[in-house]
Amino acid sequence: MERTHSAGPALGAPAVRLEGMAKVTGTARYAFEHTPAGAAYAWPVAATVPCGRVTEVHVNEALSEPGAVAVLTHVNAPRLGECEDPILWVLQDDRVPHRGWCVALAVADTPEAACAMAAAVRVEYETWEPDTVLTADHPGLYACEEANGGAVGSRERGDFDASYGSAPVRIDATYTMGALHNHPMEPHAATAEWQGGALTVHDSSQGATTVQRMLAPLFGLEEERVTVISEHVGGGFGAKGTPRPQVVLAAMAARHTGRPVKLALPRAHMACAVGHRAPTIQRVRLGAGEDGVITALAHEVVTQTSKVKEFVEQAAVPARTMYTSPNSRTTHRVAALDVPTPSWMRAPGEASGMYALESAMDELAERAGLDPVELRVRNEPEVEPDSGKPFSSRQLIAALREGARRFGWYERDPRPRSRREGRLLIGTGVASSTYPVLMTASRAEARTEPGDVFRVRVNATDIGTGARTVLAQVAADALDVPLDRVSIDIGSSSLPAAPLAGGSSGTASWGWAVDKACRALRARLDEFGGEVPAAGLTAVADTSAELEKEAASPYAKHSFGAQFAEVQVDVDSGEARVRRLLGVFAAGRILNSRTAHSQFIGGMTMGLGMALLEGSTLDPVFGDFAERDLASYHVPACADLPRMEAHWLDEDDGRLNPMGSKGIGEIGIVGTAAAIGNAVYHATGVRFRELPLHPDRILAGLGRST
Ligand code: MOS
């Protein structure tokens, strides 16, 4: 498919969020803010043991609390039907696969009473010794067939061992990081109501179509009998990508009690109930010539999953795309432990994998005596190394050069620990970014009536990204009308079915269907000489055929970017702070300059958190995370943030979709942590290979005691 874009005036413009006023004035309703008449409140009871089985649940004390309605346990809870995701299989048996697993659900007239009841439920367990600690030689490690996203678990090209063994310049480094948690501002919440045999839920989700499709078989219903509404969502970052237990528990409790039920997961339960980025141990080996050109590249990932299901952080996958590597080995090995189940977190795979690869590239640059930007220029591949496919567009080098120019990169003295201001060591670092272009088939509908605006309907989800607004812009240009002539409806399974907001694929996937529906409507309108007939006009679109063709594309499609950081490290306190962060991204056509800027800055902020602040500590005795609130799990606050700049390069890639967009939700986090880590090395002269770079770790590295 080759296209040229006939850009209308709406796309690219900094249109303000259509729901912005509703959000800042508090009239936008989130899942827990819908209160059907007679609603009761549910509070989960989380397992307190690392693993085992429930032998007895004592509920009498809880049921004597004022306002008590019911306690659901695996004995009395409604039986669930088929389930493709075992994390939703709650209160069906006595298993406790990990600490924090839901073992009972208290239901009461008020949230306070439900909380008190949950505390009064007494659970007896049979337990056994848990297996909770991941090591690079854990006996349970196995090579997975598929990593997250369907990527092949292990790939081998050429002869890595021979090539690495004879390379004159070599790096062999292992990078580790603990778990990271998504912790969206809005907790996972659902309000469920049964009417007759039909179920309606307001769920905080990244995709109501997916929730509907998975709830229906669980409750033995036709999909038409399940309505899922996710009109406003306060962040997700992957944690709400597929249904989470709260929606199943709320629906079960509503069926059990005969009342509508509201359930918001307590923040403390989110650490184990809704997924996280899995810990990784990543060994990267790079073999290069004296000129820095890589001849051998190995990226070997060790990670963990739970005993509930296999999820493998696909951290070695970006190494298959980034650099010249005639001999390559990229592998994922995983151990299933008695721990909570990991899942998607913003740029799963790329965020963790590019931390390791881009740190190793920095080490290679130093060993080869090359500037880190120049090293990447020398390793720019002609085609995607692993697939041999040409890139639809790839502006990594242009992004690095533009970033270097804007940042003033070449003003640096490349020698480590060469810049000092009193107690502060100053350094700069760079890293590359990448994220694949993903798209899924979607439906959409466009309709108009005489004297009315154009009404576009699609079950897209706006998790805070600006998706609603950008889809209206897509519609306006496809219809060739001003933006204020378009009205858009998203966030309900009663709308045309659409994929979830994930994999940075939403705008491209939904937008393609919206564009198609609107162009079809415009063609119909032309048939009527531009006059809307009395009965109105409707056009529906489905992009299944387009996406089938797309899947067979001969091109490798990815976004690229460059991240630059300046840090200061206090030699007395060990505190590293970022002074400047600058990203340049090449991500296809940017469809809304205001919300896109916000996405890039947001991703970079999350990358700063990953580098310096965020980290979940797995308690080896309990197999559960120690950080259970936003005081101990420190996401960046405004005071942590430096001057941040996000820029982008214009790209006109006609091989993507009608809008020419690549997706921007995730690339901002990719490479940020490596750029900051490389800057900390440049500042201190000490290589830290474990995240986050907390003061105690830095002080120890500097040879200072805490
Ligand atoms: Mo995103 S982690 O693909 O929801």
Side-chain angles (χ1 to χ4, degrees), residues 206 237-238 344-348 435 501-504 666:
Q206 289 174 225
F237 311 114
W344 303 296
M345 180 166 165
R346 205 171 197 169
Y435 196 80
S504 299
E666 287 161 277

Side-chain angles (χ1 to χ4, degrees), residues 17-268:
R17 288 166 199 270
L18 297 173
E19 77 288 5
M21 186 67 90
K23 279 182 174 167
V24 298
T25 55
T27 56
R29 298 285 188 88
Y30 292 77
F32 195 69
E33 296 175 316
H34 295 269
T35 307
Y41 294 81
W43 198 283
V45 177
T48 54
V49 299
C51 58
R53 51 179 285 268
V54 174
T55 53
E56 193 73 54
V57 185
H58 303 279
V59 300
N60 287 346
E61 209 182 310
L63 287 171
S64 65
E65 287 284 334
V69 175
V71 178
L72 280 73
T73 69
H74 71 274
V75 177
N76 68 351
R79 296 300 97 187
L80 295 172
E82 271 174 53
C83 180
E84 65 184 76
D85 186 346
I87 70 145
L88 301 178
W89 194 252
V90 280
L91 301 181
Q92 299 301 295
D93 55 34
D94 60 1
R95 276 175 323 136
V96 178
H98 59 77
R99 192 169 190 259
W101 183 256
C102 182
V103 290
L105 186 71
V107 187
D109 289 332
T110 65
E112 294 80 3
C115 178
M117 281 179 74
V121 171
R122 201 160 53 78
V123 185
E124 292 182 47
Y125 305 91
E126 178 193 348
T127 64
W128 42 85
E129 199 57 36
D131 176 10
T132 62
V133 180
L134 180 71
T135 55
D137 58 357
H138 190 286
L141 283 170
Y142 63 93
C144 67
E145 283 199 9
E146 244 185 38
N148 175 49
V152 169
S154 297
R155 283 280 292 155
E156 189 101 27
R157 275 185 291 108
D159 185 345
F160 169 78
D161 291 314
S163 171
Y164 181 75
S166 62
V169 183
R170 280 185 284 188
I171 291 293
D172 180 350
T174 297
Y175 305 89
T176 57
M177 45 189 275
L180 293 168
H181 276 84
N182 314 53
H183 277 315
M185 188 94 83
E186 182 203 17
H188 292 62
T191 298
E193 184 173 18
W194 290 87
Q195 281 163 322
L199 172 64
T200 301
V201 298
H202 291 268
D203 187 33
S204 183
S205 149
Q206 289 174 225
T209 296
T210 313
V211 179
Q212 176 197 38
R213 189 172 52 73
M214 288 172 72
L215 282 182
L218 275 169
F219 289 94
L221 300 171
E222 296 297 314
E223 281 184 18
E224 301 76 53
R225 307 286 280 167
V226 180
T227 305
V228 181
I229 302 155
S230 303
E231 191 187 0
H232 297 291
V233 180
F237 311 114
K240 298 172 183 171
T242 47
R244 292 289 168 182
Q246 84 282 349
V247 68
V248 179
L249 290 169
M252 283 172 109
R255 175 171 267 186
H256 184 79
T257 61
R259 291 169 64 171
V261 168
K262 297 178 35 149
L263 167 56
L265 280 188
R267 182 67 60 180

Side-chain angles (χ1 to χ4, degrees), residues 177-181 609-618 625-628 632-635 691-692 694 697:
M177 45 189 275
L180 293 168
H181 276 84
M610 175 180 170
L612 299 183
L613 305 167
E614 297 180 45
S616 291
T617 317
L618 194 92
F625 299 106
E627 294 81 4
R628 311 171 69 79
S632 50
Y633 189 91
H634 190 138
V635 299
L691 293 183
H694 278 174
R697 209 163 262 161

